[in-house]
Amino acid sequence: MTDLVPLLAGAVAGERRALARLLTAIEGGADGVRELIPSLFAASRGAHLVGITGPPGSGKSTLVNALATVWRRRGRRVGILAVDPSSPFTGGAIMGDRIRMMEHAGDLDVFVRSMASRGELGGLAGTTWIAAAVLDAAGYDPVVVETVGAGQSEVEIARLAETTVVVEVPEMGDEVQAIKAGLLEVADVIVVNKGDRPGAELAARQLRAMLSSVGGRITRQPPAILTTTALDGAGVDALADAIDAHRAAARAPDQAMQRARNQLRRAAAEIGVRAATAHPEWEELVEAVAERRVDPVTAAERLVGLRS
Ligand SMILES: Nc1nc2c(ncn2[C@@H]2O[C@H](COP(=O)(O)OP(=O)(O)OP(=O)(O)O)[C@@H](O)[C@H]2O)c(=O)[nH]1
Ligand SMILES: [Mg+2]
């Protein structure tokens, strides 16, 4: 088993090479990752964990790049994880992200990493959470996680972030209704990017009207709705303000509890599945279910030790 603790120590001491190697080990689901988690938890410096999600091509990477510029000006060290859930180890989106983030290439206080995760411990969301914790321990704050807002794992990543920014574009049109539920669930800040295109202000107004007409959001503040043009930086200062301002709200006890609940639920689900599939009677019970001798619920309860 690889001992990753020395790499963590190096990353905490500011060694970029150690940090990069550690992230590679995490991405690849190395054996030592599980044992690293308690040290990682203890090494947290309390970075603001920011999730940026939204449809493909809405300008998330460009926006993160522009945000990094603003945050650097404010003296922050910025850690960025661009998560590509669809295409592990392929060039496309990852190369694109690298190019878009090139502006910060010579800046030691911006760390950009693309991840196509295959790790254990909760799949994509679990691995991303661990990688984000590494960047936190290495002294980056904020730590920004970019994901394409398409599937369940992305929503989960958003749930783990303290502040979730959903990036939309002016042309969303009828999509507005469709995205309503998802937006309400995860967004702390909604950005209509590509503000240089027609309809951006209109789209922002529609979103505001829509969100104010929806009740039931009792536990959280309504999201701020902003317009940006990531390409030239218009509105990006205000976006950074909104994200920074949300940090305090995100750390209110009820919000922290909700995030902890989500984390624990996800970890428990993952561990439950792992325990079940590693159980010596797994194959036997699979057969029994296939032959309809046992129902799947009873079998699962037996596998996780809830029934003998
Ligand atoms: N007109 C205009 N184009 C933009 C703006 N922001 C980004 N783009 C362009 O939109 C395209 C997609 O930008 P990305 O930043 O890669 O978008 P993304 O959401 O990260 O894309 P994926 O990671 O592939 O989902 C690029 O060609 C950008 O140059 C903007 O404010 N205005
Ligand atoms: Mg991107």
Side-chain angles (χ1 to χ4, degrees):
M1 191 171 78
T2 344
D3 185 7
L4 299 175
V5 173
L7 284 182
L8 177 60
V12 169
E15 294 162 25
R16 283 172 78 95
R17 210 182 130 65
L19 173 58
R21 283 182 57 200
L22 185 51
L23 290 172
T24 301
I26 289 165
E27 184 176 30
D31 291 339
V33 175
R34 167 65 193 91
E35 298 314 315
L36 187 72
I37 291 175
S39 324
L40 198 50
F41 205 72
S44 168
R45 301 192 202 185
H48 187 191
L49 185 56
V50 179
I52 305 235
T53 190
S58 53
K60 299 177 293 297
S61 298
T62 314
L63 202 51
V64 171
N65 185 58
L67 277 168
T69 304
V70 172
W71 274 317
R72 284 299 299 129
R73 233 188 278 133
R74 298 179 183 183
R76 312 275 295 272
R77 301 181 71 219
V78 187
I80 298 165
L81 291 172
V83 180
D84 181 1
S86 51
S87 53
F89 311 113
T90 60
I94 290 179
M95 281 313 293
D97 285 335
R98 292 237 167 95
I99 290 160
R100 272 185 279 289
M101 305 288 182
M102 267 316 216
E103 193 184 319
H104 300 286
D107 186 346
L108 291 180
D109 291 320
V110 177
F111 190 93
V112 182
R113 176 69 180 232
S114 292
M115 301 232 327
S117 163
R118 286 280 153 275
E120 289 281 308
L121 303 164
L124 185 65
T127 307
T128 305
W129 172 74
I130 294 168
V134 167
L135 290 180
D136 171 10
Y140 295 95
D141 181 6
V143 174
V144 182
V145 177
E146 177 197 331
T147 53
V148 176
Q152 190 54 39
S153 62
E154 293 71 41
V155 172
E156 258 184 60
I157 289 164
R159 283 207 190 100
L160 297 179
E162 294 177 295
T163 300
T164 298
V165 180
V166 175
V167 182
E168 292 292 342
V169 289
E171 299 83 1
M172 60 192 145
D174 294 340
E175 259 179 72
V176 170
Q177 290 305 319
I179 60 182
K180 185 160 76 176
L183 277 181
L184 278 174
E185 195 180 349
V186 302
D188 299 302
V189 179
I190 300 174
V191 181
V192 179
N193 186 44
K194 309 201 180 184
D196 52 322
R197 292 197 184 162
E201 282 308 327
L202 175 66
R205 272 204 304 281
Q206 283 176 338
L207 281 168
R208 274 185 209 109
M210 185 192 86
L211 289 181
S212 66
S213 72
V214 182
R217 191 192 172 91
I218 326 151
T219 56
R220 294 162 71 191
Q221 298 177 354
I225 300 174
L226 305 169
T227 306
T228 58
T229 303
L231 279 185
D232 67 9
V236 178
D237 262 288
L239 174 58
D241 289 344
I243 294 171
D244 291 348
H246 185 263
R247 181 185 186 129
R251 294 190 177 184
D254 61 322
Q255 293 300 302
M257 286 286 282
Q258 190 55 46
R259 261 191 320 280
R261 200 168 283 125
N262 289 336
Q263 279 185 321
L264 210 46
R265 191 173 281 144
R266 194 179 43 71
E270 170 69 17
I271 287 162
V273 169
R274 244 192 299 150
T277 53
H279 196 284
E281 284 168 40
W282 169 256
E283 281 304 327
E284 212 174 291
L285 281 164
V286 168
E287 226 177 274
V289 170
E291 290 166 4
R292 308 189 69 85
R293 284 183 279 114
V294 187
D295 69 88
V297 174
T298 303
E301 284 181 349
R302 209 181 288 169
L303 289 168
V304 297
L306 288 177
R307 195 181 284 266
S308 52

